[in-house]
Amino acid sequence: TLGSNPDGSLAALLEDCADAAVDVLVAAPVWSRGDFGAARQRVSAGMAATTADILSRVEKVLTALQEVQLTLPATPPPPQADAIADIRDQLKALVGPGFVADTGAVHLADLTRYLTAVARRLDRLPQAPAADRERMARVHAVHDAYTELVSALSESRAKADDVRDIARLIEEFRVSLWAQQLGTARPVSEQRIYRAIDAVLER
C-alpha cells in the first residue's frame, strides 16, 4: 500500500511524512537562537514517533486512493466522461507529490474521507449520470469563484491559509453532495462558501 503512492517511491513518501512531522513539531516560526534550540530539541525528540503516527494515517489515505484508482475507468462511456474528468482533476489537486505535507497531519483523516466520497460517487455514477452532472455543476460554480479569489489575492500567509481553508470547504461540499452519510467536518453549503470568499476579499 505504501509503496504505490503519489510521491513516487517509499523513500519519497517517508520524506514527505517527515516534512509533515516537522510542521507538527514546529508549529510557528522561530525568531531567536533560544527558540531555534528549543525547536531543534523538539524535532530531535519527537521526529520518529510523530512520523510513524503520520505514516499510519497516510496508509488509510492510500488505501482509499487505491480503491478509487481501481474503480476509475480508463475509457469511460460518453455519459460518464465529464464526471470521470472531474474526478481526475480532483485527485490531482488532492494527492499530488508532496501531498502529506501539503495536506497537513491534522487533515489526513479528512483526506481519507474525501477519497471515500469519491469512491461512493463512482459507485453511483452509472445509475445516475444526470444527477451527477447537476451536483458537479454546483461544485464547479463555487470552484470558479474560488479560482477567481486565488488569482485576485496576494501571497500573504494569512490569506494563503484562508484560501486553503476555502479549498477544504469545497471538498466538504463534495462530500455533502455525493456521500452525505460520511458526514462533514462542519456545516457546508454554497452560501457558506461564497460568504467565506467574500470575507477574504473584504480584508
Side-chain angles (χ1 to χ4, degrees):
T1 299
L2 295 175
S4 177
N5 67 76
D7 284 320
S9 70
L10 181 55
L13 178 66
L14 291 173
E15 288 288 338
D16 195 5
C17 291
D19 287 343
V22 172
D23 287 340
V24 171
L25 295 165
V26 187
V30 295
W31 301 107
S32 69
R33 183 183 296 273
D35 287 345
F36 179 80
R40 184 175 180 179
Q41 198 165 27
R42 284 198 305 276
V43 171
S44 179
M47 188 68 163
T50 305
T51 301
D53 174 64
I54 290 171
L55 193 60
S56 69
R57 302 184 209 182
V58 168
E59 183 179 2
K60 295 175 183 176
V61 171
L62 294 178
T63 298
L65 175 60
Q66 288 169 14
E67 180 183 349
V68 170
Q69 290 171 331
L70 287 171
T71 310
L72 272 176
T75 307
Q80 300 177 28
D82 288 344
I84 298 303
D86 179 61
I87 289 170
R88 291 190 187 281
D89 287 342
Q90 182 187 5
L91 294 179
K92 191 182 301 182
L94 288 176
V95 285
F99 75 99
V100 183
D102 287 345
T103 301
V106 71
H107 293 294
L108 287 170
D110 292 330
L111 179 54
T112 300
R113 187 163 44 84
Y114 301 157
L115 295 170
T116 303
V118 173
R120 302 279 175 87
R121 179 184 181 184
L122 283 166
D123 287 343
R124 296 172 182 172
L125 179 59
Q127 288 75 41
D132 189 276
R133 278 194 297 275
E134 185 273 332
R135 291 168 181 156
M136 183 168 59
R138 293 172 66 186
V139 172
H140 284 182
V142 294
H143 195 274
D144 287 346
Y146 165 78
T147 301
E148 290 179 11
L149 171 70
V150 171
S151 65
L153 288 181
S154 65
E155 291 299 317
S156 72
R157 180 175 176 80
K159 289 186 176 180
D161 290 342
D162 289 335
V163 166
R164 280 192 290 270
D165 188 63
I166 293 169
R168 284 191 289 268
L169 201 56
I170 292 173
E171 291 302 324
E172 296 291 347
F173 184 49
R174 285 181 178 270
V175 172
S176 75
L177 292 177
W178 280 288
Q180 191 173 16
Q181 66 276 18
L182 293 177
T184 58
R186 50 186 155 158
V188 63
S189 65
E190 287 113 318
Q191 291 74 23
R192 287 177 185 271
I193 296 171
Y194 289 130
R195 284 200 297 269
I197 290 171
D198 289 342
V200 174
L201 287 172
E202 288 167 4
R203 286 179 195 166

